[in-house]
Every structure is written in C-alpha cells, then in structure tokens.
Amino acid sequence: MNFTAMDFETANARPDSALSLALVVVRDSQIVDSFYTLIKPQSKLDWRNTKIHGIHTADVADAPTFAEVWPHIDHFFAPDKLVAAHNAGFDSRVLRETLASYGITSPRYLLIDTVRTSRRFYPEMPNHKLNTVAAGLGFDLRQHHNALADSIACAQILLQEEYAFGDDALKKFVKMV
C-alpha cells in the first residue's frame, strides 16, 4: 500500500489557522519518509489550542507561512495520490481553508479516514480517538497532538488494517476530495 498520512495542529478554532503539519510517506506498506514543519499562522494562537499541542507564539515567530511550505509538499496531493488522516474531515478542511486563505486552489486527491476505518474494524473499542485506537493496536503515542507523532500513529493504524483486513476492505473507505 502507498499513501501519505497527514496531520495538522491549528492555532485556534479557525480552520485556516494551520500551525504545524506532518506528512508520513508509506511506500510498499513501509514508512519510508516524513516531513514536519511549524507554520506561522495568519491569526493569533488561542490558549486552548496551545494547551492541547504545546506550541506557543514564540515557537512559530520565524516559521514559514503555509504558502511558503506548499510548493515543497503539493506533489503529495494529486488525483492519483492517497492521503490518510485520523478524523480526515478536520485535516482536509484545514488544508483546503488554509490554501484558500492564500488564494491557492485546493487540489483533488484520494482520502481515507482512519476514524471511519477503525469504527468499522474495531467496533469494540470504547471510542475511536487517535490515542485510543493507537493504544488498542499496541502503538506507542506518547506525544499525542504532536503532528508528526499523530501522523505516524495514523500510518501505523492503516498499515495494521491493511495487514489484518486487506486492501479490498480498505478501498471501500477511499473517496476523492
């Protein structure tokens, strides 16, 4: 299986306030590369978000804007590319709205949501939050809400599902966005 797992952290409740991004690249069902960056948001950090992810204004003062990051990662988002995210609606909306805030057209790409797949394959779990699913499958997620740690956990979940249930079972969850 080939895909890229994505995770965003945001500065505040606005979907266009990307603050950090991680991408974890999977080729032939193996994690082969990763990308992580802090992002200088266009809006102020809310203390509630900082309490969750631990990123402060000083941490992103010299970070690139998302418009500066995009040319380095846009190739991961194409109609023939599969992107995975845990709670994919959130992450795909952050991507779409952040791009729109810079006047950049949002790409079309294939998307799979590991919240949805975990609900289907592991209905016995008490909930399907990333940390719960990761723990239930035996993956260590010590730095929950760190975009890189969360992207790795998402990739591990999807790889475990591929191993346990097969590609055909997962294809039913893929949609074009």
Side-chain angles (χ1 to χ4, degrees):
M1 178 171 240
N2 298 322
F3 64 92
T4 301
M6 143 178 90
D7 187 74
F8 279 100
E9 298 300 327
T10 56
N12 52 56
R14 293 176 49 132
D16 65 348
S17 68
L19 185 67
S20 70
L21 166 67
L23 301 172
V24 172
V25 180
V26 174
R27 295 290 172 256
D28 298 322
S29 302
Q30 298 290 319
I31 295 174
V32 297
D33 202 2
S34 64
F35 172 84
Y36 173 81
T37 187
L38 291 171
I39 299 164
K40 188 173 189 173
Q42 298 179 86
S43 54
K44 294 191 181 291
L45 272 76
D46 185 298
W47 65 270
R48 288 174 280 261
N49 291 57
T50 295
K51 187 175 178 182
I52 293 168
H53 51 58
I55 301 170
H56 298 268
T57 302
D59 298 327
V60 295
D62 296 324
T65 66
F66 195 74
E68 294 168 325
V69 171
W70 183 243
H72 303 283
I73 63 167
D74 64 349
H75 62 281
F76 292 108
F77 302 90
D80 63 336
K81 303 287 181 160
L82 178 60
V83 176
H86 199 80
N87 191 9
F90 170 82
D91 293 290
S92 61
R93 184 172 181 214
V94 171
L95 176 62
R96 184 178 61 251
E97 296 294 327
T98 301
L99 286 169
S101 73
Y102 285 101
I104 301 170
T105 302
S106 186
R108 294 189 49 78
Y109 56 95
L110 299 170
L111 184 65
I112 189 166
D113 186 346
T114 55
V115 168
R116 290 186 65 227
T117 60
S118 69
R119 284 181 182 144
R120 167 67 174 88
F121 297 130
Y122 311 108
E124 72 284 358
M125 288 191 177
N127 63 58
H128 293 88
K129 295 177 183 177
L130 182 61
N131 57 332
T132 303
V133 177
L137 296 177
F139 303 127
D140 182 12
L141 183 55
R142 288 186 202 157
Q143 294 182 303
H144 188 29
H145 296 296
N146 168 284
L148 184 56
D150 288 357
S151 288
I152 291 169
C154 176
Q156 291 172 321
I157 291 166
L158 193 55
L159 288 169
Q160 176 61 36
E161 292 171 347
E162 176 195 28
Y163 176 77
F165 304 103
D167 285 346
D168 287 338
L170 291 172
K171 287 178 184 175
K172 298 172 186 172
F173 295 92
V174 175
K175 66 178 187 173
M176 179 69 73
V177 294

